[in-house]
Amino acid sequence: MKTPTTKAAELKQPNCLDENGHLILQPIIEIAKSLDCPFIGLIGEKRIGKTYSCVNYALRGYYETGAPAFYARRYDKTFTENICGNLVSVHRQDIINLSSAKHNSGELRGKYFDLVRLQESESGKLLRYNRKHFLFCRSLNNIETETADDKGDASCIIYDEFLTRGNELQDEFNKLMILHANATGKRTDKFIPMFLLGNTVSRESKTAECFGIELRKLKRGINIINNSKDETRIVVYYVPESVKGENAAATYYDRFENEHINMISHGDWTLGTYQIANANDLSLDGFSALITHKDLAVKLTISTYGIQPRVIIARPDNRYNIRISSGLSKTAINYLPQNIINLILSGFMVVETSEIGENFRDICKHLTGGERIVRFYE
């Protein structure tokens, strides 16, 4: 059977960043429309306008057609004023312009956002609400309870936690499809984009895999992910480094030659903070295991330096005592032994490079007992 493919080389890459390095959404929308594909992934560092541009798209759709939008996060507890209370109010000027000053802000009220007219009076702040809600908030962790949640036509769906360094929900991809069915009412007579917004925090995602996205192979710019029948599953825009970012990196950050600040300076993927092995650590012998998940592999060696234990994570090779694999195998175990977990959680792990440490952490997501290590380096 053919596997999903990524097509980008033959596509003329549009300019989707303005002079300040902020996202321009419309060219991506046009490509998705031309492919009749409503699923759009937007992946890049924070503060480049992913959420901002999508909420702006929803606002314009609301004032043009009256259709509300859906805004989703992973958990109910994140719908608070501190976390997303200003999601709509930051669009104040656009709201004024689009509503002809009928509204001038947006306010979170439980599980939805309303567009409002704020005005000060002697007795305090006055609110005049619009009669029709603008943005319905939904959490994936209990989306199954909202299967009859048809609000009529929707302008778009925004999922704001597509990638995470923590744990995804069980069957998160299926929950996203339930959200999509609820929000669209399964209508197919109009283009209703579903935006999946991801910060560059982790390249390990079961949900991304279900869409056919190989995050480690993703190219900067537009990526078109097709299924085995050459139908487009999702259009992914992996935000290129902006001129502003390049200049800032050259001026401030590159001089430190530090992998950890590459997300800040170049928009690269986040790496956890790991203790780096020295040349002596890497030369130590001991009991070793080849640890694998799909195409990822590392070598783990348990050794001692003097009387101190060491867990050394390095590039894989063919010299090892046992194999630990995320899948079922006659020649491998699929769990991390408790003594290894205890040593790592006690701070005795060193890694050849931060990238290899991140690969080990990603593999641990798929090993029995590995979730404690994932949380430790979260």
Side-chain angles (χ1 to χ4, degrees):
M1 180 181 292
K2 290 174 64 180
T3 56
T5 59
T6 302
K7 293 187 176 182
E10 66 270 30
L11 177 73
K12 183 179 179 181
Q13 292 287 336
N15 178 28
C16 300
L17 295 177
D18 67 18
E19 59 185 9
N20 294 313
H22 295 145
L23 187 64
I24 303 172
L25 190 59
Q26 195 57 36
I28 306 167
I29 295 282
E30 293 304 321
I31 290 173
K33 277 186 176 180
S34 71
L35 296 168
D36 195 26
C37 178
F39 302 104
I40 300 172
L42 303 173
I43 297 174
E45 65 207 272
K46 295 180 180 180
R47 294 178 294 277
I48 59 171
K50 298 187 298 295
T51 306
Y52 185 94
S53 61
C54 291
V55 173
N56 186 270
Y57 179 91
L59 275 169
R60 293 179 183 279
Y62 179 83
Y63 283 114
E64 287 173 7
T65 68
F70 284 76
Y71 175 74
R73 299 178 69 90
R74 193 166 277 112
Y75 298 105
D76 254 341
K77 62 185 179 182
T78 58
F79 290 110
T80 67
E81 282 292 334
N82 287 338
I83 294 175
C84 60
N86 68 345
L87 182 77
V88 180
S89 60
V90 295
H91 296 264
R92 175 181 172 83
Q93 192 57 56
D94 281 327
I95 293 171
I96 293 171
N97 294 343
L98 290 168
S99 69
S100 300
K102 178 182 177 182
H103 308 127
N104 61 12
S105 189
E107 184 168 277
L108 176 64
R109 305 186 71 204
K111 293 295 294 289
Y112 51 84
F113 282 87
D114 272 341
L115 294 165
V116 301
R117 174 73 188 179
L118 298 175
Q119 85 189 62
E120 298 294 333
S121 70
E122 293 181 0
S123 59
K125 184 173 70 173
L126 295 176
L127 289 179
R128 187 176 72 204
Y129 292 99
N130 197 34
R131 292 181 179 179
K132 188 176 180 182
H133 302 315
F134 159 57
L135 198 62
F136 292 96
C137 301
R138 294 293 177 262
S139 49
L140 284 194
N141 67 313
N142 63 8
I143 197 67
E144 288 93 343
T145 66
E146 299 166 342
T147 52
D149 190 31
D150 188 356
K151 304 298 184 185
D153 282 339
S155 65
C156 67
I157 308 151
I158 304 167
Y159 180 44
D160 212 3
E161 295 184 326
F162 179 42
L163 302 179
T164 175
R165 283 191 68 78
N167 291 316
E168 294 175 312
L169 298 172
Q170 187 174 3
D171 295 327
E172 185 162 310
F173 175 78
N174 292 337
K175 294 178 189 298
L176 273 174
M177 293 301 105
I178 293 172
L179 168 66
H180 183 268
N182 291 350
T184 63
K186 299 183 181 179
R187 298 176 184 85
T188 58
D189 58 335
K190 61 181 292 189
F191 183 79
I192 305 174
M194 183 178 200
F195 301 111
L196 309 176
L197 314 184
N199 296 330
T200 48
V201 293
S202 177
R203 289 168 292 184
E204 181 59 33
S205 169
K206 291 181 181 178
T207 308
E209 288 179 13
C210 289
F211 277 102
I213 305 169
E214 295 181 85
L215 291 169
R216 283 182 168 79
K217 298 179 181 179
L218 207 61
K219 304 296 184 184
R220 300 272 193 168
I222 296 285
N223 296 260
I224 299 170
I225 312 298
N226 289 346
N227 64 13
S228 58
K229 299 177 182 177
D230 223 27
E231 301 162 330
T232 302
R233 284 183 174 179
I234 187 169
V235 175
V236 181
Y237 184 63
Y238 177 18
V239 179
E241 185 174 7
S242 66
V243 173
K244 182 180 179 181
E246 289 177 349
N247 292 340
T251 304
Y252 302 120
Y253 308 117
D254 287 350
R255 68 186 71 194
F256 296 108
E257 300 174 312
N258 186 313
E259 291 178 301
H260 297 286
I261 65 171
N262 281 343
M263 182 186 178
I264 301 170
S265 56
H266 295 287
D268 288 345
W269 294 92
T270 298
L271 298 176
T273 302
Y274 304 95
Q275 185 177 349
I276 303 301
N278 57 37
N280 185 70
D281 292 326
L282 296 174
S283 67
L284 294 174
D285 291 322
F287 181 82
S288 62
L290 179 69
I291 306 180
T292 64
H293 169 65
K294 295 188 176 179
D295 293 334
L296 282 180
V298 299
K299 182 179 179 181
L300 181 151
T301 302
I302 303 175
S303 189
T304 57
Y305 181 61
I307 61 172
Q308 250 194 1
R310 283 281 195 278
V311 176
I312 304 152
I313 309 296
R315 290 180 174 85
D317 59 35
N318 294 323
R319 295 177 289 109
Y320 55 88
N321 300 105
I322 65 168
R323 190 164 70 90
I324 301 174
S325 173
S326 60
L328 296 176
S329 170
K330 293 180 180 179
T331 59
I333 60 175
N334 63 355
Y335 61 90
L336 283 173
Q338 191 60 48
N339 64 324
I340 294 178
I341 295 173
N342 292 341
L343 286 172
I344 292 172
L345 298 183
S346 298
F348 292 113
M349 188 180 89
V350 295
V351 301
E352 186 172 354
T353 67
S354 294
E355 183 81 18
I356 290 173
E358 195 72 2
N359 288 346
F360 174 63
R361 178 189 177 278
D362 287 345
I363 294 171
C364 284
K365 281 189 173 185
H366 305 274
L367 299 175
T368 301
E371 62 275 358
R372 295 175 64 194
I373 294 170
V374 172
R375 289 196 302 269
F376 187 73
Y377 289 102
E378 192 170 316

